[in-house]
């Protein structure tokens, strides 16, 4: 185990075992965690899905680009209202089925939007991990100062500052500053999803609810008169389980409504919502990733042309200035939301399954959102200098991603030539730019 920092040790002491295990970044954690924690899709805490593999010995990492979701938070207002509305169907009864006995004394007591202590810890662990992985083997100043940006909402900025603090603690330097980018309507922000003409589809989630929820409803509807639960209520109770467990740092009583096998179904519900909302299944989603991918290619190549040509979400005032868009750093870290990471991975060409079927999940699908963008989830693009030239490698939840479906000449170990990757991204951003126009 790596040595604990002070705050981490004290925080862990009051944390239930499964959560502290997951947040420890131990690869085996997922095996020992309860299913609700690892199968809550966008509401799962971060856990690595594979051990980090060192690059081949003939290569070394020359640049690291991290696109990271904010850490665990309270529900958004929309999600909170949905959960409260489902809860109201359960309240005020004289008798309850055994799974719901706790309702006699239950009080809903979650905040809205703010980063949780668990989310701050996820962000600090990530900062420490980047230092240990990329900067500690040689002299600590070898990485220089990471360039950090955050989309301007409180939970995202606090995730970035917790990351920065932990990185600097390891580096024994002062915390790198954070450049924030406005989320106001009309602002150009490559870390924010804005597609007024491309609202997420709800159809597929509803079709899947009709498949998996009836058996759970039947178990709970043993009272007279019935609660009147529908599939959406079941989903909301599953979300309550996830949110309360992260907020209370203890397993929420709502988790007890579900059986082991139910969590696969709940996870698929989240996967469908993100796939048809912000991923491959929404024809306007990929355009939202163009700004970030153009910035990524500019960093990888050191060529500003890629940002200058962007007509999507890049703020050219910021990106034309080397103080606010430098190209000489080793580590770049951008903090954002899952609804931006989903378009970016889709545009790049990752996790591209045959279309997901709303009634028949493929257990071997690659689109598993608890691994793509859980709380604190991150996509990492490494640039590698190898004896055979410059390459890239992409990791999601630490698992090396296969690039063969879009990057010509990709190798089985996940490496692809930088020039092939750039060519693939030029094609993807050209198509994505057309799609972006249709958002407005
Ligand atoms: C870390 O996140 C917490 C939220 O849990 C926040 O209160 C705190 O200010 C953050 N720390 C820094 C250094 O930003
Ligand atoms: C671009 O960024 C600058 C500096 O933060 C800001 O003043 C300006 O409003 C932004 N422009 C747009 C279109 O977002
Ligand atoms: C989903 O899969 C089922 C079973 O294979 C099939 O009958 C159905 O047509 C599929 N739905 C779609 C939209 O492809």
């Amino acid at each position: 185990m790596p040595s604990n920092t002070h705050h981490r040790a004290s925080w862990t002491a009051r944390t239930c075992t499964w959560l502290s295990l997951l947040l420890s970044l131990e690869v085996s954690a997922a095996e020992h965690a309860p299913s609700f924690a690892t199968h809550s899709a966008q509401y799962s805490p971060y856990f690595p899905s594979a051990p980090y593999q060192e690059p081949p010995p003939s290569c070394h990492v020359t640049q690291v680009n991290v696109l990271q979701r904010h850490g665990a938070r309270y529900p958004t207002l929309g999600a909170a209202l949905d959960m409260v509305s489902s809860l109201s169907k359960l309240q005020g009864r004289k008798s309850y089925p055994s799974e719901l006995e706790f309702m006699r004394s239950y009080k809903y007591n979650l905040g809205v939007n703010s980063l949780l202590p668990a989310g701050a810890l996820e962000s600090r662990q990530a900062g420490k991990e980047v230092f240990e992985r990329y900067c500690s083997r040689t002299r600590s100043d070898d990485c220089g100062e990471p360039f950090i940006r955050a989309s301007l909402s409180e939970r995202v900025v606090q995730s970035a500052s917790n990351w920065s603090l932990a990185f600097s603690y390891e580096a024994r330097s002062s915390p790198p500053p954070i450049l924030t980018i406005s989320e106001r309507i009309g602002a150009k922000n490559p870390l924010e999803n804005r597609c007024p003409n491309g609202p997420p589809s709800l159809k597929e989630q509803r079709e899947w609810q009709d498949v998996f929820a009836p058996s759970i409803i039947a178990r709970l509807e043993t009272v007279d008169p019935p609660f009147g639960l529908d599939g959406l209520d079941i989903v909301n109770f599953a979300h309550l389980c996830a949110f309360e467990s992260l907020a209370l740092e203890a397993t929420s009583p709502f988790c007890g409504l579900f059986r082991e096998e139910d969590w696969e179904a709940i996870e698929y519900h989240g996967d469908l919502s993100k796939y048809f909302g912000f991923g491959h299944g929404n024809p306007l989603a990929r355009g939202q990733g163009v700004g970030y991918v153009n910035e990524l290619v500019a960093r990888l190549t050191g060529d500003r042309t890629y940002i200058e040509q962007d007509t999507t979400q890049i703020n050219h005032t910021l990106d034309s200035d080397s103080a606010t868009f430098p190209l000489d750093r080793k580590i770049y870290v951008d903090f954002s939301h899952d609804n931006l990471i989903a378009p970016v991975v889709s545009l790049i060409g990752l996790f591209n399954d045959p279309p997901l079927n709303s009634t028949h999940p493929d257990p071997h699908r690659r689109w598993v959102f608890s691994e793509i963008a859980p709380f604190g989830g991150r996509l990492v693009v490494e640039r590698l200098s190898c004896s055979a030239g410059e390459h890239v490698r992409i990791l999601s939840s630490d698992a090396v991603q296969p690039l063969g479906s879009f990057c010509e000449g990709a190798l089985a170990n996940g490496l692809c030539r930088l020039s092939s990757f750039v060519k693939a991204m030029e094609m993807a951003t050209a198509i994505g730019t057309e799609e972006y126009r249709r958002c407005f």
Side-chain angles (χ1 to χ4, degrees), residues 357-360:
N357 181 313
S358 60
T359 53
H360 291 74

Side-chain angles (χ1 to χ4, degrees), residues 409-433:
L411 304 173
N413 62 3
L415 267 65
C416 193
R417 279 190 177 281
L418 176 61
S419 55
S420 301
F421 181 75
V422 169
K423 203 179 285 172
M425 292 307 101
E426 285 172 354
M427 279 164 58
T429 51
I431 297 165
T433 300

Side-chain angles (χ1 to χ4, degrees), residues 180 184 186-189 315-318:
T180 58
R184 78 181 151 76
K188 291 282 187 184
N189 182 344
N315 179 326
H316 290 286
T317 311
L318 292 173

Side-chain angles (χ1 to χ4, degrees), residues 71-93:
R73 55 153 166 75
Y74 280 123
T76 58
L77 184 59
L81 293 174
D82 286 347
M83 293 189 296
V84 168
S85 144
S86 294
L87 266 175
S88 69
K89 295 190 181 176
L90 300 178
Q91 277 154 346
R93 294 299 185 111

Side-chain angles (χ1 to χ4, degrees), residues 361-387:
D362 173 0
H364 303 296
R365 71 187 178 281
R366 283 179 282 187
W367 187 269
V368 176
F369 215 70
S370 54
E371 295 178 16
I372 297 173
F375 289 131
R378 49 260 198 188
L379 182 76
V380 178
V381 180
E382 296 175 341
R383 189 182 68 194
L384 305 165
S385 174
C386 305
S387 47

Side-chain angles (χ1 to χ4, degrees), residues 10 28 34 36 54 81 94 137 151 154 158 180-181 238-239 277 288 298-299 372 379-382 384 389 437 439:
S10 60
S28 60
F36 69 81
E54 293 294 333
L81 293 174
K94 288 209 171 65
R137 239 165 276 120
S151 202
E154 190 190 43
Q158 285 185 352
T180 58
I181 306 181
H239 293 172
Q288 298 293 309
R299 288 165 173 172
I372 297 173
L379 182 76
V380 178
V381 180
E382 296 175 341
L384 305 165
R437 290 209 184 103
C439 276

Side-chain angles (χ1 to χ4, degrees), residues 11-82:
W11 193 84
T12 309
R14 59 189 168 85
T15 307
C16 62
T17 326
W18 62 261
L19 184 56
S20 52
L21 187 68
L22 275 181
L23 298 180
S24 72
L25 303 184
E26 295 293 313
V27 173
S28 60
E31 288 167 32
H32 302 288
S35 296
F36 69 81
T38 52
H39 292 283
S40 283
Q42 69 273 29
Y43 301 140
S44 282
Y46 177 79
F47 56 92
S49 56
Y52 178 75
Q53 281 170 35
E54 293 294 333
S58 60
C59 304
H60 68 276
V61 177
T62 56
Q63 190 183 93
V64 181
N65 296 276
V66 182
L67 178 61
Q68 179 152 333
R69 187 183 179 198
H70 58 75
R73 55 153 166 75
Y74 280 123
T76 58
L77 184 59
L81 293 174
D82 286 347

